[in-house]
Amino acid sequence: MGIVVNKLDIHRLLHDLGRVHYIYTQDHKLLSEGDGDIMEIFANSQRSTLVTNNALYLNVDSFDYLELKQSPQQETYFDLIQEQMCLRLIPLTTPLQERRNRQFNVTVIEAMMDQVLAARWDAEIDDDPSDSF
């Protein structure tokens, strides 16, 4: 489907990924494979790409280019290439699902904060000596 070499474009393409199946190979030999969540995508020559504990921290500077491919089922996946190494990312969720999950998480956090603030205000009112009869 195409090759992307611009690091900003690679970052943008990977930004909406959430849960993925990853396959890490060297010279077409399997090194590791599993499912994980993309926790962070960044560009920093001083940091590494990390895949551990079902979490992926992707440094776009760790790769020479990204190759967009399509499975026989017409599903897009991403090959991050550096010399003879390949980190294949197969999305398990869609960008729309990820946006909904993020919005849901924000809504839940906002509701929890409202409850905490309301409880704090109630406690302050209960502790206010000017309210005593």
Side-chain angles (χ1 to χ4, degrees), residues 7-119:
K7 303 298 183 184
L8 269 172
D9 289 339
I10 293 172
H11 189 281
R12 283 187 14 218
L13 284 169
L14 299 176
H15 178 73
D16 285 329
L17 292 180
R19 188 136 184 86
V20 297
H21 181 76
Y22 64 88
I23 303 168
Y24 195 51
T25 59
Q26 180 177 6
D27 294 320
H28 304 288
K29 293 178 186 153
L30 181 66
L31 297 178
S32 66
E33 180 176 11
D35 292 345
D37 293 299
I38 306 278
M39 304 303 290
E40 184 180 6
I41 300 165
F42 55 92
N44 185 324
S45 61
Q46 303 300 311
R47 295 172 59 195
S48 299
T49 288
L50 301 171
V51 178
T52 183
N53 296 328
N54 299 335
L56 290 88
Y57 301 87
L58 302 175
N59 182 358
V60 296
D61 283 349
S62 295
F63 304 98
D64 298 326
Y65 61 94
L66 178 143
E67 205 170 333
L68 285 165
K69 295 186 176 179
Q70 203 165 48
S71 71
Q73 296 79 22
Q74 303 300 309
E75 295 173 341
T76 301
Y77 61 92
F78 308 86
D79 282 351
L80 292 162
I81 308 293
Q82 180 187 28
E83 297 174 9
Q84 299 303 313
M85 307 285 273
C86 175
L87 177 60
R88 176 167 290 171
L89 303 174
I90 303 167
L92 298 176
T93 58
T94 67
L96 183 57
Q97 289 170 321
E98 285 305 309
R99 277 191 218 115
R100 284 184 186 152
N101 288 344
R102 284 186 201 127
Q103 183 57 43
F104 175 76
N105 289 340
V106 167
T107 303
V108 168
I109 290 170
E110 286 174 348
M112 289 179 5
M113 290 302 296
D114 287 345
Q115 290 176 355
V116 167
L117 291 172

